[in-house]
Amino acid sequence: MFRSKRSALVKRLWKNRLHNETSGENETCLPTSPDGDTETKCVAQSMLKRLKEKQLEMLCESIETKGGETTGCVLLPNSDLRLGKRSVAPHILCCQLWRWSDITPNTELKRLPHCESADDPAYLCCNPYHWSIQQKTDTPYTNGNWSKSSRLKITEIDQIEESVMGVSTETGNTPTPRRLDFSGDTTNGSSRGPHWCTVAYWELRQRVGRLFTVFDSSMNIFQSLPHGGGLSLEVLQQGTQLDAVLRTREKIGFGLVLSREDTGVWLYNRSVFPVFVNSSWFDTPNSRTPVVIKLLPGRSIKIFDYDCVEFLKGMKDARFVDGPYDPRSIRISFAKGWGPTYHRQFVTSCPCWLEVLLNIDR
């Protein structure tokens, strides 16, 4: 009975594998020939034999729900597997088999916040939905344009007091933290500590629902999700007759993950449609045109770097800014882009979008 259940789990996993349909030959990707497929199957089955039945069940659940269910880590020894004349890391092979058939060992993967095996030197998590493809973008603040001595560390942010409320420069309506004081006693009597950001959900020019204050280091924002906590937009949303809004709501799905890490804020696209993001960290100084980045499904991107806080303060100079400016404000649109390369010029023309207001020094 034990062998029968285990065999059924392995068969389910193999049945749900991806097939590499990319053109050309790339020996770093999964082989597409019958012999190569047999070889990959042998290696995969050998790898799966090392997993306990409970881990196989978690892996099946994660793959069959396409990451909809938050499952635990699937651990394998941190050593490469032999695949013909080459070797491959076990987490790369699992991602090739069940998530991205065309990734290579050179693809930069980023561990997601809910993965708990980051500090384990002996084992590596091979759950493909504990990983994302890291997307990089050029920013004006990567060339040492701010003082290294004025870096704002995450440990300092953890000690910040909550402050009085102001008004959003994006829309004029969303209350945001106004000022943060790093001097003196910074304890606030709360075991959770101060919040690190506030999230507002918008449909076109109308804010929908209450503000959501974020204390945990990461948060899911979604339309529909089998299980798991976070901000459910479906609960906030009201009745509307606008087709554009209704169609976009259907595309939000599993949504996204916002996470605060040691050096900045990261965004992970958990849905099957792209999201679009603008942050002061992306924008070019002296330009009135926002830089909007398209983030594909399964990708992660850093959307704010705490090292650039002092540099961004200088951006408030009237010579550089046309109208109100808040470097702490980040805008994220689901499925629809805006800006100079899209027919929507302003984020307030997007059907469903978020305003993320960071709780850092103004």
Side-chain angles (χ1 to χ4, degrees), residues 70 220 222 225-230:
T70 301
N220 297 318
F222 54 89
L225 195 65
H227 299 96

PDB file of all heavy atoms in Angstrom, residues 70 220 222 225-230:
ATOM      1  N   THR A  70      -0.391  27.459  -0.529  1.00  0.00           N
ATOM      2  CA  THR A  70       0.921  27.720   0.054  1.00  0.00           C
ATOM      3  C   THR A  70       1.387  26.464   0.775  1.00  0.00           C
ATOM      4  O   THR A  70       0.823  26.093   1.812  1.00  0.00           O
ATOM      5  CB  THR A  70       0.860  28.903   1.025  1.00  0.00           C
ATOM      6  OG1 THR A  70       0.412  30.061   0.322  1.00  0.00           O
ATOM      7  CG2 THR A  70       2.232  29.178   1.616  1.00  0.00           C
ATOM      8  N   ASN A 220       0.292  38.972   0.874  1.00  0.00           N
ATOM      9  CA  ASN A 220      -0.396  38.620  -0.358  1.00  0.00           C
ATOM     10  C   ASN A 220      -1.505  39.625  -0.627  1.00  0.00           C
ATOM     11  O   ASN A 220      -2.244  40.002   0.287  1.00  0.00           O
ATOM     12  CB  ASN A 220      -1.022  37.224  -0.249  1.00  0.00           C
ATOM     13  CG  ASN A 220       0.008  36.135  -0.063  1.00  0.00           C
ATOM     14  OD1 ASN A 220       1.050  36.138  -0.693  1.00  0.00           O
ATOM     15  ND2 ASN A 220      -0.285  35.198   0.826  1.00  0.00           N
ATOM     16  N   PHE A 222      -4.640  39.749  -3.420  1.00  0.00           N
ATOM     17  CA  PHE A 222      -5.189  38.832  -4.407  1.00  0.00           C
ATOM     18  C   PHE A 222      -6.682  39.088  -4.622  1.00  0.00           C
ATOM     19  O   PHE A 222      -7.350  39.732  -3.792  1.00  0.00           O
ATOM     20  CB  PHE A 222      -4.962  37.390  -3.968  1.00  0.00           C
ATOM     21  CG  PHE A 222      -5.494  37.094  -2.580  1.00  0.00           C
ATOM     22  CD1 PHE A 222      -6.794  36.670  -2.383  1.00  0.00           C
ATOM     23  CD2 PHE A 222      -4.675  37.256  -1.468  1.00  0.00           C
ATOM     24  CE1 PHE A 222      -7.288  36.410  -1.115  1.00  0.00           C
ATOM     25  CE2 PHE A 222      -5.158  37.002  -0.184  1.00  0.00           C
ATOM     26  CZ  PHE A 222      -6.473  36.575  -0.003  1.00  0.00           C
ATOM     27  N   LEU A 225      -8.008  33.328  -3.824  1.00  0.00           N
ATOM     28  CA  LEU A 225      -6.925  32.436  -3.444  1.00  0.00           C
ATOM     29  C   LEU A 225      -7.527  31.332  -2.595  1.00  0.00           C
ATOM     30  O   LEU A 225      -8.345  31.605  -1.707  1.00  0.00           O
ATOM     31  CB  LEU A 225      -5.866  33.216  -2.646  1.00  0.00           C
ATOM     32  CG  LEU A 225      -4.496  32.596  -2.449  1.00  0.00           C
ATOM     33  CD1 LEU A 225      -3.776  32.439  -3.774  1.00  0.00           C
ATOM     34  CD2 LEU A 225      -3.655  33.475  -1.520  1.00  0.00           C
ATOM     35  N   PRO A 226      -7.172  30.048  -2.875  1.00  0.00           N
ATOM     36  CA  PRO A 226      -7.798  28.948  -2.120  1.00  0.00           C
ATOM     37  C   PRO A 226      -7.673  29.118  -0.614  1.00  0.00           C
ATOM     38  O   PRO A 226      -8.650  29.017   0.120  1.00  0.00           O
ATOM     39  CB  PRO A 226      -7.039  27.717  -2.620  1.00  0.00           C
ATOM     40  CG  PRO A 226      -6.514  28.094  -3.959  1.00  0.00           C
ATOM     41  CD  PRO A 226      -6.231  29.563  -3.890  1.00  0.00           C
ATOM     42  N   HIS A 227      -6.471  29.373  -0.151  1.00  0.00           N
ATOM     43  CA  HIS A 227      -6.221  29.559   1.274  1.00  0.00           C
ATOM     44  C   HIS A 227      -5.125  30.598   1.435  1.00  0.00           C
ATOM     45  O   HIS A 227      -4.442  30.957   0.493  1.00  0.00           O
ATOM     46  CB  HIS A 227      -5.800  28.245   1.947  1.00  0.00           C
ATOM     47  CG  HIS A 227      -6.826  27.165   1.859  1.00  0.00           C
ATOM     48  ND1 HIS A 227      -6.795  26.193   0.884  1.00  0.00           N
ATOM     49  CD2 HIS A 227      -7.929  26.904   2.604  1.00  0.00           C
ATOM     50  CE1 HIS A 227      -7.818  25.382   1.024  1.00  0.00           C
ATOM     51  NE2 HIS A 227      -8.520  25.783   2.069  1.00  0.00           N
ATOM     52  N   GLY A 228      -4.951  31.054   2.648  1.00  0.00           N
ATOM     53  CA  GLY A 228      -3.877  32.002   2.912  1.00  0.00           C
ATOM     54  C   GLY A 228      -4.420  33.373   3.255  1.00  0.00           C
ATOM     55  O   GLY A 228      -5.521  33.758   2.844  1.00  0.00           O
ATOM     56  N   GLY A 229      -3.638  34.116   4.032  1.00  0.00           N
ATOM     57  CA  GLY A 229      -4.053  35.436   4.467  1.00  0.00           C
ATOM     58  C   GLY A 229      -3.541  36.527   3.552  1.00  0.00           C
ATOM     59  O   GLY A 229      -2.817  36.290   2.597  1.00  0.00           O
ATOM     60  N   GLY A 230      -3.937  37.747   3.894  1.00  0.00           N
ATOM     61  CA  GLY A 230      -3.515  38.893   3.110  1.00  0.00           C
ATOM     62  C   GLY A 230      -4.688  39.804   2.828  1.00  0.00           C
ATOM     63  O   GLY A 230      -5.697  39.803   3.538  1.00  0.00           O
TER      64      GLY A 230
END
